[in-house]
Amino acid sequence: MSDMLENPEYCTTALGVDDAVGISDAQSGTSENRVWYLAVVKRNSEKLIREKLLQKGYEAYVATQKEEHRWANGRKKKVERVVISARIFIRLTEEERREVVHLPYINYFITDKARTANAYGVHPLAVIPDHEMQMLRFMLCNADSPVDIVSTPFRAGDRIRIVRGSLKGFEGEVTRQLGETHILIRLSILGVAITRVSPQDIELI
């Protein structure tokens, strides 16, 4: 299967130190213990690397979205836009991951910086739950408008301070993140306030 986004299943169902790239929480060994990891690859090579991994028998997925582009001469063409550049999802056992990390086109696996590091200062590997992968695929298959993935270091429960703009100095707690510029902040007993705040204008405290 050359393009996993064309699989109807994904478009209709909503729903110790290791190699210096993190420590895995996944159990090792059997095929029943495969989980989704996120690997960093060379930019603009995502789809090619997906094909290489599929040929090797691994389950690999690149977050892409089919879009219709119109050229200057009026012609239309469907193109596959990579939504998360330089990243590829791979479903592996721990044993398989230890092999894949040494492939020449895999730079490293993403670690979860929000989780506690071990005695060597290495954070656990990021593992993406199956239901989140299903929802991501469903959204990319069915969304009527372009989907953008925004990466920020802020999570629910984080204490933050606004460091720029008209609200500079304001402190609060992130309760939920809604897209790129909408953050809900709980104001103790006063309730909840919502305002437009760029993640670039916020710092953890």
Side-chain angles (χ1 to χ4, degrees):
M1 179 170 56
S2 62
D3 188 351
M4 298 183 72
L5 282 179
E6 294 178 353
N7 189 326
E9 174 187 354
Y10 303 130
C11 294
T12 59
T13 304
L15 316 160
V17 180
D18 174 37
D19 303 325
V21 291
I23 51 178
S24 176
D25 286 337
Q27 298 174 350
S28 61
T30 67
S31 60
E32 290 79 11
N33 295 321
R34 287 190 175 92
V35 295
W36 286 102
Y37 296 104
L38 184 58
V40 176
V41 298
K42 184 178 180 181
R43 189 180 296 271
N44 298 323
S45 69
E46 302 91 351
K47 289 182 279 186
L48 175 61
I49 292 173
R50 173 186 61 192
E51 295 304 317
K52 290 182 177 180
L53 290 167
L54 291 174
Q55 291 171 9
K56 286 182 174 292
Y58 299 115
E59 187 174 355
Y61 172 74
V62 175
T64 61
Q65 185 177 26
K66 294 293 182 67
E67 296 180 347
E68 186 177 83
H69 283 202
R70 183 188 297 272
W71 307 117
N73 60 8
R75 292 178 56 209
K76 298 179 181 179
K77 182 180 180 181
K78 286 282 188 179
V79 298
E80 186 184 21
R81 177 179 66 93
V82 175
V83 177
I84 310 177
S85 62
R87 302 288 189 273
I88 183 167
F89 298 90
I90 319 174
R91 193 167 184 260
L92 304 163
T93 64
E94 173 60 11
E95 181 179 352
E96 290 170 338
R97 190 196 66 78
R98 290 172 181 267
E99 298 173 355
V100 170
V101 74
H102 293 297
L103 294 174
Y105 40 82
I106 300 295
N107 292 344
Y108 58 90
F109 284 94
I110 295 290
T111 57
D112 188 347
K113 297 294 194 301
R115 300 186 62 186
T116 304
N118 65 7
Y120 299 94
V122 181
H123 294 272
L125 289 171
V127 172
I128 298 86
D130 285 345
H131 73 275
E132 290 187 10
M133 291 297 301
Q134 292 171 0
M135 293 306 298
L136 174 62
R137 291 173 171 182
F138 181 79
M139 177 182 291
L140 290 173
C141 284
N142 294 283
D144 294 325
S145 57
V147 174
D148 293 309
I149 307 297
V150 179
S151 177
T152 74
F154 307 111
R155 297 189 174 191
D158 285 345
R159 291 285 303 174
I160 58 91
R161 177 187 297 112
I162 299 176
V163 295
R164 282 183 292 273
S166 59
L167 293 177
K168 180 179 179 180
F170 181 88
E171 296 182 4
E173 180 179 337
V174 176
T175 60
R176 187 180 178 191
Q177 184 174 314
L178 303 176
E180 182 177 3
T181 58
H182 293 77
I183 292 180
L184 270 68
I185 302 173
R186 187 168 63 235
L187 303 174
S188 186
I189 62 173
L190 298 179
V192 174
I194 180 171
T195 187
R196 296 174 61 88
V197 180
S198 169
Q200 286 73 37
D201 294 341
I202 296 172
E203 67 177 8
L204 286 170
I205 59 174

